Each structure stands twice: as structure tokens, then as C-alpha cells.
Amino acid sequence: MIRLRPVPCILAATMVAFSAQADISLLTRPDNAPFTAANWPEQGIFTELVSAALAASPAPEPHSITWQGNWSSQPHLIKSKAYDMAFPWGQPGCEVTAADDARCTDFHYSEPVIDVVILLFVRAEDEFEFDQNADLAGRTLCRPSGSLTHDPNGFEAQWLPNDALKVRRPETLGACFDLLMAGRVDAVAVNEFQGVQHMFAAGLTEKVVPLTRPLATQSLHVVISNTHWRGTALMYRFNAGLAKLKQTGAYAEILSRHIAIYWERLKG
């Protein structure tokens, strides 16, 4: 079951401002609720935290946020500086993949904005043991393509070269759960927020269960091209603003409020 619980409210809600005369342009997806979503209050947990951190940064500048539905185009748009920064990105296991992974070599990552737990969602009727990584040998997992699927601990790098674990990557989370219910994959690997949310939305609460042992813990970040002429300054400002949010209690208030919304929406 989900282990996230609301934390005490400490500060009043931080206002999120967007400017037509923005000095900083940001890119995100509109369909990653509760993290980034056009139809979620304040456009999602991550969106509000990013805006609040920029507002709290030293010498804050106006910013704009653009919704881009196709995540696969984000790396090119950020690397080419068509936009200044993007979010939320999971940082891959760069100590394992840096030599051949552009996500490690072409971008700078902010300090972690949110940490999420990656769980395995399996059919309730199946006997699925996951006491250690070796238990996944021969299994087929499904991980939807997109910004929240990057492997933070080199897990795939550990298994895939030996063909011990297969991973399917459809475009959407819904497609992963369809494959699970059709018996074409053994488990869906996704963060607990979105996995449980989809279970409720799709009416699968009696047919699918999350395993209690996490597959990984994943940190989510803001990224910028490592060749951006203002990259160091912009990332410094963002990290300083994020630290200030945590020091003042604004971070805890934002997170608490969105988690409360999340639970209310699950109840219907």
C-alpha cells in the first residue's frame, strides 16, 4: 500500500505566477498527474514547487511554463536551448550509464525536488515473489515511456545485458496496465502515486495490487542543457530557491496540500 501521508501544514499556499514577458522558459508535460497536469490544482505538485522555488530564488525573474505532450521531444528542445529548463526528469544511474547516455552527458540536474518510490504492480491472482532482485530473473516488466521512468540506480543496466529481465515500453501507463491484465507482462513498474491513481481510475483495485518491496526510490529534478550560457546561474538560483522553501516550511505546506488533494480524488 501507499506509504505517503500528508505532513503538517506550516505555511499558507504559495502563489504561482506566469508571465508573458518571461525571462526563463520551462517545459513540462500536461498529463503526469499529480506531478504536472493542466487539470490539477496549481497544475500539479511539481509545477507549483518549481514556480515557488523560482520565486524564492535570489534576484527572481519572470518565468513561463509550456506544456508539451510528447516527452521524447524534450531532450532535443532543451539541448538546443529552445527552452531553458524542463521538468520533471528522473536522473539515470550516471555512474553506470554516463559513457553512452545523453541524459548524463548533455544535461545538468537540479537538487532533487521530489523523491518517489517505484513499485511493482501485479495481478492480484498471481503468486509474485519479490524478496530480492534475483527474483525478477525471467520476468517481463512494463514501464511507460516518459520522464518518470528513468532508472535511478542502474537497475536495468544490471539486468538487461544478460537478458535476465525484459522491459516493455509503451507510450502510456494505461497501455502497461492493459498488457498486465492481458497476461503479456508480469508487472508494471511505476511510481506509487501514478500506479495507485490508475488502479482506482480504471477500476482495478480488486484485480491489481502493489508489492510492498520497492523496486527503487527515484528522485525527480529540473534539468538544463550543460551548454546553456546561463546554465550555472539558473541552476544555482533554482537550487537556492528550493532550499529556501524547505527552510521556511513552504515546501512542506505545498506537498501536504497536494497529497491531501490526491487522497480526496482517490476517494472519488
Side-chain angles (χ1 to χ4, degrees):
M1 296 301 293
I2 282 187
R3 290 171 297 286
L4 291 172
R5 292 293 183 270
V7 295
C9 291
I10 299 176
L11 206 64
T14 300
M15 298 301 293
V16 180
F18 303 92
S19 171
Q21 303 298 322
D23 294 324
I24 304 172
S25 60
L26 298 106
L27 190 64
T28 191
R29 285 179 59 170
D31 55 354
N32 269 335
F35 303 103
T36 62
N39 62 352
W40 192 275
E42 307 301 340
Q43 288 75 54
I45 304 172
F46 211 99
T47 307
E48 183 171 3
L49 286 172
V50 167
S51 293
L54 289 172
S57 67
E61 302 177 38
H63 69 277
S64 65
I65 296 177
T66 298
W67 305 103
Q68 168 60 260
N70 181 10
W71 184 87
S72 62
S73 66
Q74 280 196 23
H76 170 73
L77 292 171
I78 298 303
K79 185 177 180 180
S80 67
K81 277 80 78 179
Y83 296 87
D84 295 312
M85 307 169 87
F87 66 89
W89 281 30
Q91 187 172 13
C94 291
E95 70 283 355
V96 177
T97 63
D100 57 1
D101 194 326
R103 292 171 299 166
C104 295
T105 60
D106 294 347
F107 304 98
H108 291 311
Y109 290 76
S110 71
E111 291 297 316
V113 179
I114 296 176
D115 291 322
V116 294
V117 175
I118 307 299
L119 298 180
L120 293 178
F121 292 79
V122 304
R123 291 178 294 272
E125 62 189 30
D126 290 352
E127 294 183 4
F128 196 119
E129 294 185 2
F130 182 39
D131 297 322
Q132 54 187 343
N133 286 354
D135 292 335
L136 297 181
R139 296 286 194 177
T140 299
L141 306 186
C142 191
R143 307 184 72 186
S145 63
S147 60
L148 303 186
T149 62
H150 302 331
D151 177 37
N153 298 318
F155 183 84
E156 291 182 13
Q158 174 185 352
W159 282 95
L160 291 180
N162 299 320
D163 295 324
L165 174 69
K166 296 180 180 179
V167 179
R168 297 193 61 173
R169 295 184 179 278
E171 181 65 24
T172 67
L173 179 59
C176 269
F177 275 93
D178 289 344
L179 291 171
L180 177 68
M181 299 313 300
R184 297 169 63 185
V185 300
D186 298 302
V188 176
V190 68
N191 70 80
E192 58 181 335
F193 273 113
Q194 294 178 317
V196 171
Q197 184 173 257
H198 186 83
M199 283 172 52
F200 276 80
L204 297 176
T205 56
E206 301 297 323
K207 299 178 180 179
V208 173
V209 295
L211 299 183
T212 56
R213 183 178 187 268
L215 179 66
T217 299
Q218 182 176 50
S219 60
L220 302 178
H221 307 255
V222 172
V223 298
I224 194 168
S225 170
N226 61 7
T227 61
H228 194 295
W229 71 280
R230 298 181 65 203
T232 300
L234 289 179
M235 196 58 77
Y236 166 78
R237 289 181 179 182
F238 177 80
N239 286 336
L242 181 63
K244 185 175 181 180
L245 290 184
K246 294 181 178 180
Q247 291 166 0
T248 63
Y251 178 95
E253 187 282 324
I254 292 170
L255 192 62
S256 174
R257 176 162 36 82
H258 281 279
I259 291 176
I261 294 169
Y262 173 83
W263 284 109
E264 285 301 316
R265 291 198 174 192
L266 285 185
K267 296 175 183 177

